Amino acid sequence: KNEVEQSPQNLTAQEGEFITINCSYSVGISALHWLQQHPGGGIVSLFMLSSGKKKHGRLIATINIQEKHSSLHITASHPRDSAVYICAVRHGGSQGNLIFGKGTKLSVKP
Amino acid sequence: DAGITQSPRHKVTETGTPVTLRCHQTENHRYMYWYRQDPGHGLRLIHYSYGVKDTDKGEVSDGYSVSRSKTEDFLLTLESATSSQTSVYFCAIRTPGTGAYNEQFFGPGTRLTVL
């Protein structure tokens, strides 16, 4: 079983829809990261959080440490949000290396 | 943008040849990482470094070696490339601090094809 599980693997939405991507993990962590990767592109950090909730523009990330679960929400989705969204957790041990989920591929149709 | 560059950005090579990928940072950060990204897998750690001449293995280190003789450069070497090493390779750096205060920044990636 993977230590970081994301769902769904693929997601297609219509422009304007509210989107939720989920991440569950099974290890002790010190922080959780949400990353974005556009097709053929580099990897960009969206959020790093260890508790509660963070918001940047139309993106909101939440984490529940007790339930070992995080969600990434996109409000009023737009075709430019089409990308792969990756959840990664910073392990509590092992030099604090990141453990990555397999990613969620989001496609937003106009 | 964090100052991370990778070279080359694309490379095609033949099975059995040695290949070296370079990661260069201008941030003077202590931690540097090499990952590979393959369809159906998340990013997987190959090797990492926590200082000059200080390196350690990740989960997929077989067939790879690394060197870090200067803070700014982290080299990944495939001694004898195999087709299974066809992948996109990402370098990353980590900001100082502990736990929740670390950020990780990624380079642009190197697409390697081994024929």
Side-chain angles (χ1 to χ4, degrees), chain A residues 30 33 37 45 48 50 90 95-98 100-102, chain B residues 31 33 35 37 40 43 48 90 94 99-100 102 104:
Chain A
S30 56
H33 297 246
Q37 185 176 26
S45 179
M48 183 181 64
S50 57
R90 188 168 297 288
Q95 295 263 12
N97 292 335
L98 288 178
F100 296 84
K102 294 182 180 181
Chain B
Y31 278 83
Y33 303 84
Y35 298 97
Q37 186 178 44
L43 284 153
Y48 66 99
F90 286 95
R94 182 174 127 192
N102 299 137
Q104 194 154 118

mmCIF file with all atom_site columns, all heavy atoms in Angstrom, chain A residues 30 33 37 45 48 50 90 95-98 100-102, chain B residues 31 33 35 37 40 43 48 90 94 99-100 102 104:
data_model
loop_
_atom_site.group_PDB
_atom_site.id
_atom_site.type_symbol
_atom_site.label_atom_id
_atom_site.label_alt_id
_atom_site.label_comp_id
_atom_site.label_asym_id
_atom_site.label_entity_id
_atom_site.label_seq_id
_atom_site.pdbx_PDB_ins_code
_atom_site.Cartn_x
_atom_site.Cartn_y
_atom_site.Cartn_z
_atom_site.occupancy
_atom_site.B_iso_or_equiv
_atom_site.pdbx_formal_charge
_atom_site.auth_seq_id
_atom_site.auth_comp_id
_atom_site.auth_asym_id
_atom_site.auth_atom_id
_atom_site.pdbx_PDB_model_num
ATOM 1   N N   . SER A 1 30  ? 5.627  15.953 9.237   1.00 0.00 ? 30  SER A N   1
ATOM 2   C CA  . SER A 1 30  ? 5.819  17.285 9.809   1.00 0.00 ? 30  SER A CA  1
ATOM 3   C C   . SER A 1 30  ? 5.169  18.357 8.943   1.00 0.00 ? 30  SER A C   1
ATOM 4   O O   . SER A 1 30  ? 4.926  19.459 9.411   1.00 0.00 ? 30  SER A O   1
ATOM 5   C CB  . SER A 1 30  ? 7.298  17.578 9.987   1.00 0.00 ? 30  SER A CB  1
ATOM 6   O OG  . SER A 1 30  ? 7.977  17.445 8.759   1.00 0.00 ? 30  SER A OG  1
ATOM 7   N N   . HIS A 1 33  ? 2.673  19.008 1.379   1.00 0.00 ? 33  HIS A N   1
ATOM 8   C CA  . HIS A 1 33  ? 2.813  19.936 0.264   1.00 0.00 ? 33  HIS A CA  1
ATOM 9   C C   . HIS A 1 33  ? 1.806  19.595 -0.826  1.00 0.00 ? 33  HIS A C   1
ATOM 10  O O   . HIS A 1 33  ? 1.530  18.414 -1.080  1.00 0.00 ? 33  HIS A O   1
ATOM 11  C CB  . HIS A 1 33  ? 4.209  19.815 -0.363  1.00 0.00 ? 33  HIS A CB  1
ATOM 12  C CG  . HIS A 1 33  ? 5.334  20.179 0.542   1.00 0.00 ? 33  HIS A CG  1
ATOM 13  N ND1 . HIS A 1 33  ? 6.141  21.280 0.321   1.00 0.00 ? 33  HIS A ND1 1
ATOM 14  C CD2 . HIS A 1 33  ? 5.806  19.597 1.663   1.00 0.00 ? 33  HIS A CD2 1
ATOM 15  C CE1 . HIS A 1 33  ? 7.052  21.345 1.274   1.00 0.00 ? 33  HIS A CE1 1
ATOM 16  N NE2 . HIS A 1 33  ? 6.879  20.334 2.099   1.00 0.00 ? 33  HIS A NE2 1
ATOM 17  N N   . GLN A 1 37  ? 1.810  20.591 -11.647 1.00 0.00 ? 37  GLN A N   1
ATOM 18  C CA  . GLN A 1 37  ? 2.676  20.344 -12.807 1.00 0.00 ? 37  GLN A CA  1
ATOM 19  C C   . GLN A 1 37  ? 1.836  20.445 -14.069 1.00 0.00 ? 37  GLN A C   1
ATOM 20  O O   . GLN A 1 37  ? 0.965  19.615 -14.304 1.00 0.00 ? 37  GLN A O   1
ATOM 21  C CB  . GLN A 1 37  ? 3.338  18.969 -12.706 1.00 0.00 ? 37  GLN A CB  1
ATOM 22  C CG  . GLN A 1 37  ? 4.338  18.705 -13.814 1.00 0.00 ? 37  GLN A CG  1
ATOM 23  C CD  . GLN A 1 37  ? 5.042  17.379 -13.649 1.00 0.00 ? 37  GLN A CD  1
ATOM 24  O OE1 . GLN A 1 37  ? 4.519  16.444 -13.042 1.00 0.00 ? 37  GLN A OE1 1
ATOM 25  N NE2 . GLN A 1 37  ? 6.247  17.275 -14.172 1.00 0.00 ? 37  GLN A NE2 1
ATOM 26  N N   . SER A 1 45  ? 5.426  24.588 -6.351  1.00 0.00 ? 45  SER A N   1
ATOM 27  C CA  . SER A 1 45  ? 4.812  24.421 -5.040  1.00 0.00 ? 45  SER A CA  1
ATOM 28  C C   . SER A 1 45  ? 3.631  25.368 -4.895  1.00 0.00 ? 45  SER A C   1
ATOM 29  O O   . SER A 1 45  ? 3.760  26.573 -5.128  1.00 0.00 ? 45  SER A O   1
ATOM 30  C CB  . SER A 1 45  ? 5.842  24.689 -3.951  1.00 0.00 ? 45  SER A CB  1
ATOM 31  O OG  . SER A 1 45  ? 5.258  24.554 -2.672  1.00 0.00 ? 45  SER A OG  1
ATOM 32  N N   . MET A 1 48  ? 2.299  24.667 1.396   1.00 0.00 ? 48  MET A N   1
ATOM 33  C CA  . MET A 1 48  ? 2.921  23.821 2.394   1.00 0.00 ? 48  MET A CA  1
ATOM 34  C C   . MET A 1 48  ? 2.173  24.073 3.685   1.00 0.00 ? 48  MET A C   1
ATOM 35  O O   . MET A 1 48  ? 2.031  25.237 4.090   1.00 0.00 ? 48  MET A O   1
ATOM 36  C CB  . MET A 1 48  ? 4.395  24.163 2.572   1.00 0.00 ? 48  MET A CB  1
ATOM 37  C CG  . MET A 1 48  ? 5.106  23.273 3.552   1.00 0.00 ? 48  MET A CG  1
ATOM 38  S SD  . MET A 1 48  ? 6.824  23.729 3.732   1.00 0.00 ? 48  MET A SD  1
ATOM 39  C CE  . MET A 1 48  ? 6.693  25.372 4.432   1.00 0.00 ? 48  MET A CE  1
ATOM 40  N N   . SER A 1 50  ? 0.950  22.443 7.759   1.00 0.00 ? 50  SER A N   1
ATOM 41  C CA  . SER A 1 50  ? 1.084  21.454 8.828   1.00 0.00 ? 50  SER A CA  1
ATOM 42  C C   . SER A 1 50  ? -0.170 21.408 9.699   1.00 0.00 ? 50  SER A C   1
ATOM 43  O O   . SER A 1 50  ? -0.308 20.509 10.520  1.00 0.00 ? 50  SER A O   1
ATOM 44  C CB  . SER A 1 50  ? 2.305  21.754 9.692   1.00 0.00 ? 50  SER A CB  1
ATOM 45  O OG  . SER A 1 50  ? 2.211  23.058 10.215  1.00 0.00 ? 50  SER A OG  1
ATOM 46  N N   . ARG A 1 90  ? 6.060  15.425 4.107   1.00 0.00 ? 90  ARG A N   1
ATOM 47  C CA  . ARG A 1 90  ? 7.415  15.426 4.651   1.00 0.00 ? 90  ARG A CA  1
ATOM 48  C C   . ARG A 1 90  ? 7.422  14.486 5.834   1.00 0.00 ? 90  ARG A C   1
ATOM 49  O O   . ARG A 1 90  ? 6.748  14.724 6.838   1.00 0.00 ? 90  ARG A O   1
ATOM 50  C CB  . ARG A 1 90  ? 7.874  16.825 5.042   1.00 0.00 ? 90  ARG A CB  1
ATOM 51  C CG  . ARG A 1 90  ? 9.352  16.849 5.429   1.00 0.00 ? 90  ARG A CG  1
ATOM 52  C CD  . ARG A 1 90  ? 9.905  18.250 5.548   1.00 0.00 ? 90  ARG A CD  1
ATOM 53  N NE  . ARG A 1 90  ? 9.877  18.998 4.314   1.00 0.00 ? 90  ARG A NE  1
ATOM 54  C CZ  . ARG A 1 90  ? 10.669 18.788 3.269   1.00 0.00 ? 90  ARG A CZ  1
ATOM 55  N NH1 . ARG A 1 90  ? 11.548 17.825 3.291   1.00 0.00 ? 90  ARG A NH1 1
ATOM 56  N NH2 . ARG A 1 90  ? 10.573 19.550 2.188   1.00 0.00 ? 90  ARG A NH2 1
ATOM 57  N N   . GLN A 1 95  ? 15.545 12.020 7.544   1.00 0.00 ? 95  GLN A N   1
ATOM 58  C CA  . GLN A 1 95  ? 16.052 13.295 7.071   1.00 0.00 ? 95  GLN A CA  1
ATOM 59  C C   . GLN A 1 95  ? 14.937 14.195 6.543   1.00 0.00 ? 95  GLN A C   1
ATOM 60  O O   . GLN A 1 95  ? 15.215 15.151 5.832   1.00 0.00 ? 95  GLN A O   1
ATOM 61  C CB  . GLN A 1 95  ? 17.107 13.090 5.964   1.00 0.00 ? 95  GLN A CB  1
ATOM 62  C CG  . GLN A 1 95  ? 18.366 12.404 6.409   1.00 0.00 ? 95  GLN A CG  1
ATOM 63  C CD  . GLN A 1 95  ? 19.462 13.418 6.728   1.00 0.00 ? 95  GLN A CD  1
ATOM 64  O OE1 . GLN A 1 95  ? 19.216 14.619 6.824   1.00 0.00 ? 95  GLN A OE1 1
ATOM 65  N NE2 . GLN A 1 95  ? 20.674 12.944 6.932   1.00 0.00 ? 95  GLN A NE2 1
ATOM 66  N N   . GLY A 1 96  ? 13.692 13.864 6.854   1.00 0.00 ? 96  GLY A N   1
ATOM 67  C CA  . GLY A 1 96  ? 12.600 14.723 6.417   1.00 0.00 ? 96  GLY A CA  1
ATOM 68  C C   . GLY A 1 96  ? 12.382 14.717 4.926   1.00 0.00 ? 96  GLY A C   1
ATOM 69  O O   . GLY A 1 96  ? 11.947 15.715 4.361   1.00 0.00 ? 96  GLY A O   1
ATOM 70  N N   . ASN A 1 97  ? 12.665 13.595 4.279   1.00 0.00 ? 97  ASN A N   1
ATOM 71  C CA  . ASN A 1 97  ? 12.466 13.530 2.825   1.00 0.00 ? 97  ASN A CA  1
ATOM 72  C C   . ASN A 1 97  ? 10.981 13.500 2.490   1.00 0.00 ? 97  ASN A C   1
ATOM 73  O O   . ASN A 1 97  ? 10.147 13.074 3.288   1.00 0.00 ? 97  ASN A O   1
ATOM 74  C CB  . ASN A 1 97  ? 13.156 12.289 2.258   1.00 0.00 ? 97  ASN A CB  1
ATOM 75  C CG  . ASN A 1 97  ? 14.662 12.374 2.347   1.00 0.00 ? 97  ASN A CG  1
ATOM 76  O OD1 . ASN A 1 97  ? 15.229 13.475 2.395   1.00 0.00 ? 97  ASN A OD1 1
ATOM 77  N ND2 . ASN A 1 97  ? 15.310 11.244 2.392   1.00 0.00 ? 97  ASN A ND2 1
ATOM 78  N N   . LEU A 1 98  ? 10.667 13.965 1.266   1.00 0.00 ? 98  LEU A N   1
ATOM 79  C CA  . LEU A 1 98  ? 9.282  13.979 0.817   1.00 0.00 ? 98  LEU A CA  1
ATOM 80  C C   . LEU A 1 98  ? 8.881  12.614 0.263   1.00 0.00 ? 98  LEU A C   1
ATOM 81  O O   . LEU A 1 98  ? 9.676  11.938 -0.386  1.00 0.00 ? 98  LEU A O   1
ATOM 82  C CB  . LEU A 1 98  ? 9.082  15.023 -0.283  1.00 0.00 ? 98  LEU A CB  1
ATOM 83  C CG  . LEU A 1 98  ? 9.116  16.496 0.145   1.00 0.00 ? 98  LEU A CG  1
ATOM 84  C CD1 . LEU A 1 98  ? 8.942  17.401 -1.077  1.00 0.00 ? 98  LEU A CD1 1
ATOM 85  C CD2 . LEU A 1 98  ? 8.042  16.782 1.169   1.00 0.00 ? 98  LEU A CD2 1
ATOM 86  N N   . PHE A 1 100 ? 5.801  11.135 -2.169  1.00 0.00 ? 100 PHE A N   1
ATOM 87  C CA  . PHE A 1 100 ? 4.856  11.720 -3.116  1.00 0.00 ? 100 PHE A CA  1
ATOM 88  C C   . PHE A 1 100 ? 3.696  10.779 -3.423  1.00 0.00 ? 100 PHE A C   1
ATOM 89  O O   . PHE A 1 100 ? 3.874  9.565  -3.522  1.00 0.00 ? 100 PHE A O   1
ATOM 90  C CB  . PHE A 1 100 ? 5.570  12.028 -4.437  1.00 0.00 ? 100 PHE A CB  1
ATOM 91  C CG  . PHE A 1 100 ? 6.645  13.070 -4.321  1.00 0.00 ? 100 PHE A CG  1
ATOM 92  C CD1 . PHE A 1 100 ? 7.918  12.723 -3.909  1.00 0.00 ? 100 PHE A CD1 1
ATOM 93  C CD2 . PHE A 1 100 ? 6.376  14.392 -4.629  1.00 0.00 ? 100 PHE A CD2 1
ATOM 94  C CE1 . PHE A 1 100 ? 8.912  13.679 -3.791  1.00 0.00 ? 100 PHE A CE1 1
ATOM 95  C CE2 . PHE A 1 100 ? 7.374  15.364 -4.520  1.00 0.00 ? 100 PHE A CE2 1
ATOM 96  C CZ  . PHE A 1 100 ? 8.640  14.995 -4.094  1.00 0.00 ? 100 PHE A CZ  1
ATOM 97  N N   . GLY A 1 101 ? 2.519  11.361 -3.612  1.00 0.00 ? 101 GLY A N   1
ATOM 98  C CA  . GLY A 1 101 ? 1.427  10.644 -4.233  1.00 0.00 ? 101 GLY A CA  1
ATOM 99  C C   . GLY A 1 101 ? 1.652  10.564 -5.738  1.00 0.00 ? 101 GLY A C   1
ATOM 100 O O   . GLY A 1 101 ? 2.564  11.199 -6.277  1.00 0.00 ? 101 GLY A O   1
ATOM 101 N N   . LYS A 1 102 ? 0.798  9.778  -6.426  1.00 0.00 ? 102 LYS A N   1
ATOM 102 C CA  . LYS A 1 102 ? 0.966  9.583  -7.859  1.00 0.00 ? 102 LYS A CA  1
ATOM 103 C C   . LYS A 1 102 ? 0.378  10.725 -8.682  1.00 0.00 ? 102 LYS A C   1
ATOM 104 O O   . LYS A 1 102 ? 0.544  10.764 -9.896  1.00 0.00 ? 102 LYS A O   1
ATOM 105 C CB  . LYS A 1 102 ? 0.354  8.257  -8.288  1.00 0.00 ? 102 LYS A CB  1
ATOM 106 C CG  . LYS A 1 102 ? 1.080  7.061  -7.705  1.00 0.00 ? 102 LYS A CG  1
ATOM 107 C CD  . LYS A 1 102 ? 0.482  5.755  -8.197  1.00 0.00 ? 102 LYS A CD  1
ATOM 108 C CE  . LYS A 1 102 ? 1.245  4.585  -7.591  1.00 0.00 ? 102 LYS A CE  1
ATOM 109 N NZ  . LYS A 1 102 ? 0.711  3.285  -8.049  1.00 0.00 ? 102 LYS A NZ  1
ATOM 110 N N   . TYR B 2 31  ? 20.524 21.189 1.312   1.00 0.00 ? 31  TYR B N   1
ATOM 111 C CA  . TYR B 2 31  ? 19.900 19.954 0.826   1.00 0.00 ? 31  TYR B CA  1
ATOM 112 C C   . TYR B 2 31  ? 19.607 20.053 -0.671  1.00 0.00 ? 31  TYR B C   1
ATOM 113 O O   . TYR B 2 31  ? 19.002 21.022 -1.140  1.00 0.00 ? 31  TYR B O   1
ATOM 114 C CB  . TYR B 2 31  ? 18.589 19.679 1.568   1.00 0.00 ? 31  TYR B CB  1
ATOM 115 C CG  . TYR B 2 31  ? 18.764 19.017 2.912   1.00 0.00 ? 31  TYR B CG  1
ATOM 116 C CD1 . TYR B 2 31  ? 19.057 19.773 4.050   1.00 0.00 ? 31  TYR B CD1 1
ATOM 117 C CD2 . TYR B 2 31  ? 18.629 17.647 3.048   1.00 0.00 ? 31  TYR B CD2 1
ATOM 118 C CE1 . TYR B 2 31  ? 19.213 19.170 5.282   1.00 0.00 ? 31  TYR B CE1 1
ATOM 119 C CE2 . TYR B 2 31  ? 18.776 17.032 4.286   1.00 0.00 ? 31  TYR B CE2 1
ATOM 120 C CZ  . TYR B 2 31  ? 19.069 17.795 5.396   1.00 0.00 ? 31  TYR B CZ  1
ATOM 121 O OH  . TYR B 2 31  ? 19.221 17.196 6.618   1.00 0.00 ? 31  TYR B OH  1
ATOM 122 N N   . TYR B 2 33  ? 18.348 17.286 -4.069  1.00 0.00 ? 33  TYR B N   1
ATOM 123 C CA  . TYR B 2 33  ? 17.720 15.988 -4.336  1.00 0.00 ? 33  TYR B CA  1
ATOM 124 C C   . TYR B 2 33  ? 17.699 15.698 -5.829  1.00 0.00 ? 33  TYR B C   1
ATOM 125 O O   . TYR B 2 33  ? 17.590 16.606 -6.648  1.00 0.00 ? 33  TYR B O   1
ATOM 126 C CB  . TYR B 2 33  ? 16.257 16.001 -3.858  1.00 0.00 ? 33  TYR B CB  1
ATOM 127 C CG  . TYR B 2 33  ? 16.071 16.329 -2.407  1.00 0.00 ? 33  TYR B CG  1
ATOM 128 C CD1 . TYR B 2 33  ? 16.035 17.654 -1.973  1.00 0.00 ? 33  TYR B CD1 1
ATOM 129 C CD2 . TYR B 2 33  ? 15.924 15.322 -1.462  1.00 0.00 ? 33  TYR B CD2 1
ATOM 130 C CE1 . TYR B 2 33  ? 15.857 17.963 -0.630  1.00 0.00 ? 33  TYR B CE1 1
ATOM 131 C CE2 . TYR B 2 33  ? 15.746 15.621 -0.118  1.00 0.00 ? 33  TYR B CE2 1
ATOM 132 C CZ  . TYR B 2 33  ? 15.717 16.943 0.286   1.00 0.00 ? 33  TYR B CZ  1
ATOM 133 O OH  . TYR B 2 33  ? 15.541 17.242 1.617   1.00 0.00 ? 33  TYR B OH  1
ATOM 134 N N   . TYR B 2 35  ? 15.288 13.254 -8.289  1.00 0.00 ? 35  TYR B N   1
ATOM 135 C CA  . TYR B 2 35  ? 14.113 12.398 -8.407  1.00 0.00 ? 35  TYR B CA  1
ATOM 136 C C   . TYR B 2 35  ? 13.975 11.947 -9.858  1.00 0.00 ? 35  TYR B C   1
ATOM 137 O O   . TYR B 2 35  ? 14.431 12.609 -10.779 1.00 0.00 ? 35  TYR B O   1
ATOM 138 C CB  . TYR B 2 35  ? 12.830 13.158 -8.065  1.00 0.00 ? 35  TYR B CB  1
ATOM 139 C CG  . TYR B 2 35  ? 12.734 13.693 -6.663  1.00 0.00 ? 35  TYR B CG  1
ATOM 140 C CD1 . TYR B 2 35  ? 13.066 15.015 -6.388  1.00 0.00 ? 35  TYR B CD1 1
ATOM 141 C CD2 . TYR B 2 35  ? 12.276 12.898 -5.626  1.00 0.00 ? 35  TYR B CD2 1
ATOM 142 C CE1 . TYR B 2 35  ? 12.958 15.524 -5.104  1.00 0.00 ? 35  TYR B CE1 1
ATOM 143 C CE2 . TYR B 2 35  ? 12.165 13.404 -4.338  1.00 0.00 ? 35  TYR B CE2 1
ATOM 144 C CZ  . TYR B 2 35  ? 12.505 14.719 -4.089  1.00 0.00 ? 35  TYR B CZ  1
ATOM 145 O OH  . TYR B 2 35  ? 12.383 15.215 -2.813  1.00 0.00 ? 35  TYR B OH  1
ATOM 146 N N   . GLN B 2 37  ? 10.699 10.748 -12.520 1.00 0.00 ? 37  GLN B N   1
ATOM 147 C CA  . GLN B 2 37  ? 9.242  10.745 -12.652 1.00 0.00 ? 37  GLN B CA  1
ATOM 148 C C   . GLN B 2 37  ? 8.853  9.866  -13.824 1.00 0.00 ? 37  GLN B C   1
ATOM 149 O O   . GLN B 2 37  ? 9.286  10.117 -14.954 1.00 0.00 ? 37  GLN B O   1
ATOM 150 C CB  . GLN B 2 37  ? 8.710  12.164 -12.861 1.00 0.00 ? 37  GLN B CB  1
ATOM 151 C CG  . GLN B 2 37  ? 7.180  12.239 -12.856 1.00 0.00 ? 37  GLN B CG  1
ATOM 152 C CD  . GLN B 2 37  ? 6.668  13.654 -13.024 1.00 0.00 ? 37  GLN B CD  1
ATOM 153 O OE1 . GLN B 2 37  ? 7.157  14.408 -13.857 1.00 0.00 ? 37  GLN B OE1 1
ATOM 154 N NE2 . GLN B 2 37  ? 5.660  14.021 -12.234 1.00 0.00 ? 37  GLN B NE2 1
ATOM 155 N N   . GLY B 2 40  ? 2.559  6.410  -13.961 1.00 0.00 ? 40  GLY B N   1
ATOM 156 C CA  . GLY B 2 40  ? 2.071  5.396  -13.029 1.00 0.00 ? 40  GLY B CA  1
ATOM 157 C C   . GLY B 2 40  ? 2.783  5.379  -11.689 1.00 0.00 ? 40  GLY B C   1
ATOM 158 O O   . GLY B 2 40  ? 2.402  4.627  -10.791 1.00 0.00 ? 40  GLY B O   1
ATOM 159 N N   . LEU B 2 43  ? 6.731  10.867 -8.004  1.00 0.00 ? 43  LEU B N   1
ATOM 160 C CA  . LEU B 2 43  ? 8.152  11.183 -7.996  1.00 0.00 ? 43  LEU B CA  1
ATOM 161 C C   . LEU B 2 43  ? 8.855  10.255 -7.010  1.00 0.00 ? 43  LEU B C   1
ATOM 162 O O   . LEU B 2 43  ? 8.380  10.050 -5.888  1.00 0.00 ? 43  LEU B O   1
ATOM 163 C CB  . LEU B 2 43  ? 8.359  12.639 -7.568  1.00 0.00 ? 43  LEU B CB  1
ATOM 164 C CG  . LEU B 2 43  ? 8.028  13.667 -8.639  1.00 0.00 ? 43  LEU B CG  1
ATOM 165 C CD1 . LEU B 2 43  ? 7.628  14.986 -8.014  1.00 0.00 ? 43  LEU B CD1 1
ATOM 166 C CD2 . LEU B 2 43  ? 9.227  13.854 -9.546  1.00 0.00 ? 43  LEU B CD2 1
ATOM 167 N N   . TYR B 2 48  ? 20.065 11.904 -2.434  1.00 0.00 ? 48  TYR B N   1
ATOM 168 C CA  . TYR B 2 48  ? 20.011 13.258 -1.943  1.00 0.00 ? 48  TYR B CA  1
ATOM 169 C C   . TYR B 2 48  ? 21.330 13.608 -1.267  1.00 0.00 ? 48  TYR B C   1
ATOM 170 O O   . TYR B 2 48  ? 22.152 12.734 -0.971  1.00 0.00 ? 48  TYR B O   1
ATOM 171 C CB  . TYR B 2 48  ? 18.821 13.476 -0.997  1.00 0.00 ? 48  TYR B CB  1
ATOM 172 C CG  . TYR B 2 48  ? 18.874 12.719 0.301   1.00 0.00 ? 48  TYR B CG  1
ATOM 173 C CD1 . TYR B 2 48  ? 19.305 13.334 1.477   1.00 0.00 ? 48  TYR B CD1 1
ATOM 174 C CD2 . TYR B 2 48  ? 18.473 11.388 0.362   1.00 0.00 ? 48  TYR B CD2 1
ATOM 175 C CE1 . TYR B 2 48  ? 19.330 12.650 2.675   1.00 0.00 ? 48  TYR B CE1 1
ATOM 176 C CE2 . TYR B 2 48  ? 18.502 10.690 1.553   1.00 0.00 ? 48  TYR B CE2 1
ATOM 177 C CZ  . TYR B 2 48  ? 18.918 11.320 2.707   1.00 0.00 ? 48  TYR B CZ  1
ATOM 178 O OH  . TYR B 2 48  ? 18.955 10.633 3.889   1.00 0.00 ? 48  TYR B OH  1
ATOM 179 N N   . PHE B 2 90  ? 14.224 15.141 -12.156 1.00 0.00 ? 90  PHE B N   1
ATOM 180 C CA  . PHE B 2 90  ? 14.076 16.450 -11.532 1.00 0.00 ? 90  PHE B CA  1
ATOM 181 C C   . PHE B 2 90  ? 15.059 16.591 -10.384 1.00 0.00 ? 90  PHE B C   1
ATOM 182 O O   . PHE B 2 90  ? 15.210 15.690 -9.560  1.00 0.00 ? 90  PHE B O   1
ATOM 183 C CB  . PHE B 2 90  ? 12.659 16.649 -10.981 1.00 0.00 ? 90  PHE B CB  1
ATOM 184 C CG  . PHE B 2 90  ? 11.628 16.898 -12.032 1.00 0.00 ? 90  PHE B CG  1
ATOM 185 C CD1 . PHE B 2 90  ? 10.872 15.850 -12.539 1.00 0.00 ? 90  PHE B CD1 1
ATOM 186 C CD2 . PHE B 2 90  ? 11.416 18.173 -12.524 1.00 0.00 ? 90  PHE B CD2 1
ATOM 187 C CE1 . PHE B 2 90  ? 9.912  16.073 -13.516 1.00 0.00 ? 90  PHE B CE1 1
ATOM 188 C CE2 . PHE B 2 90  ? 10.460 18.405 -13.504 1.00 0.00 ? 90  PHE B CE2 1
ATOM 189 C CZ  . PHE B 2 90  ? 9.712  17.348 -14.000 1.00 0.00 ? 90  PHE B CZ  1
ATOM 190 N N   . ARG B 2 94  ? 16.043 22.327 -0.996  1.00 0.00 ? 94  ARG B N   1
ATOM 191 C CA  . ARG B 2 94  ? 15.169 22.503 0.167   1.00 0.00 ? 94  ARG B CA  1
ATOM 192 C C   . ARG B 2 94  ? 15.692 23.683 0.973   1.00 0.00 ? 94  ARG B C   1
ATOM 193 O O   . ARG B 2 94  ? 16.894 23.786 1.231   1.00 0.00 ? 94  ARG B O   1
ATOM 194 C CB  . ARG B 2 94  ? 15.176 21.228 0.995   1.00 0.00 ? 94  ARG B CB  1
ATOM 195 C CG  . ARG B 2 94  ? 14.277 21.242 2.210   1.00 0.00 ? 94  ARG B CG  1
ATOM 196 C CD  . ARG B 2 94  ? 14.294 19.868 2.828   1.00 0.00 ? 94  ARG B CD  1
ATOM 197 N NE  . ARG B 2 94  ? 14.612 19.900 4.229   1.00 0.00 ? 94  ARG B NE  1
ATOM 198 C CZ  . ARG B 2 94  ? 14.916 18.819 4.941   1.00 0.00 ? 94  ARG B CZ  1
ATOM 199 N NH1 . ARG B 2 94  ? 14.947 17.644 4.364   1.00 0.00 ? 94  ARG B NH1 1
ATOM 200 N NH2 . ARG B 2 94  ? 15.169 18.923 6.225   1.00 0.00 ? 94  ARG B NH2 1
ATOM 201 N N   . GLY B 2 99  ? 11.073 20.659 9.625   1.00 0.00 ? 99  GLY B N   1
ATOM 202 C CA  . GLY B 2 99  ? 9.683  20.258 9.519   1.00 0.00 ? 99  GLY B CA  1
ATOM 203 C C   . GLY B 2 99  ? 8.821  21.151 8.681   1.00 0.00 ? 99  GLY B C   1
ATOM 204 O O   . GLY B 2 99  ? 8.963  21.223 7.471   1.00 0.00 ? 99  GLY B O   1
ATOM 205 N N   . ALA B 2 100 ? 7.924  21.828 9.341   1.00 0.00 ? 100 ALA B N   1
ATOM 206 C CA  . ALA B 2 100 ? 6.914  22.593 8.619   1.00 0.00 ? 100 ALA B CA  1
ATOM 207 C C   . ALA B 2 100 ? 7.469  23.848 7.985   1.00 0.00 ? 100 ALA B C   1
ATOM 208 O O   . ALA B 2 100 ? 6.747  24.533 7.269   1.00 0.00 ? 100 ALA B O   1
ATOM 209 C CB  . ALA B 2 100 ? 5.778  22.954 9.573   1.00 0.00 ? 100 ALA B CB  1
ATOM 210 N N   . ASN B 2 102 ? 10.246 23.948 6.009   1.00 0.00 ? 102 ASN B N   1
ATOM 211 C CA  . ASN B 2 102 ? 11.007 23.687 4.803   1.00 0.00 ? 102 ASN B CA  1
ATOM 212 C C   . ASN B 2 102 ? 10.138 23.841 3.583   1.00 0.00 ? 102 ASN B C   1
ATOM 213 O O   . ASN B 2 102 ? 9.029  23.337 3.541   1.00 0.00 ? 102 ASN B O   1
ATOM 214 C CB  . ASN B 2 102 ? 11.547 22.254 4.785   1.00 0.00 ? 102 ASN B CB  1
ATOM 215 C CG  . ASN B 2 102 ? 12.475 21.961 5.913   1.00 0.00 ? 102 ASN B CG  1
ATOM 216 O OD1 . ASN B 2 102 ? 12.397 20.930 6.520   1.00 0.00 ? 102 ASN B OD1 1
ATOM 217 N ND2 . ASN B 2 102 ? 13.377 22.885 6.168   1.00 0.00 ? 102 ASN B ND2 1
ATOM 218 N N   . GLN B 2 104 ? 10.377 23.150 -0.692  1.00 0.00 ? 104 GLN B N   1
ATOM 219 C CA  . GLN B 2 104 ? 11.186 22.476 -1.692  1.00 0.00 ? 104 GLN B CA  1
ATOM 220 C C   . GLN B 2 104 ? 10.884 23.083 -3.054  1.00 0.00 ? 104 GLN B C   1
ATOM 221 O O   . GLN B 2 104 ? 9.717  23.272 -3.405  1.00 0.00 ? 104 GLN B O   1
ATOM 222 C CB  . GLN B 2 104 ? 10.906 20.972 -1.673  1.00 0.00 ? 104 GLN B CB  1
ATOM 223 C CG  . GLN B 2 104 ? 11.929 20.169 -2.443  1.00 0.00 ? 104 GLN B CG  1
ATOM 224 C CD  . GLN B 2 104 ? 12.061 18.738 -1.954  1.00 0.00 ? 104 GLN B CD  1
ATOM 225 O OE1 . GLN B 2 104 ? 11.805 17.810 -2.696  1.00 0.00 ? 104 GLN B OE1 1
ATOM 226 N NE2 . GLN B 2 104 ? 12.476 18.538 -0.727  1.00 0.00 ? 104 GLN B NE2 1
#
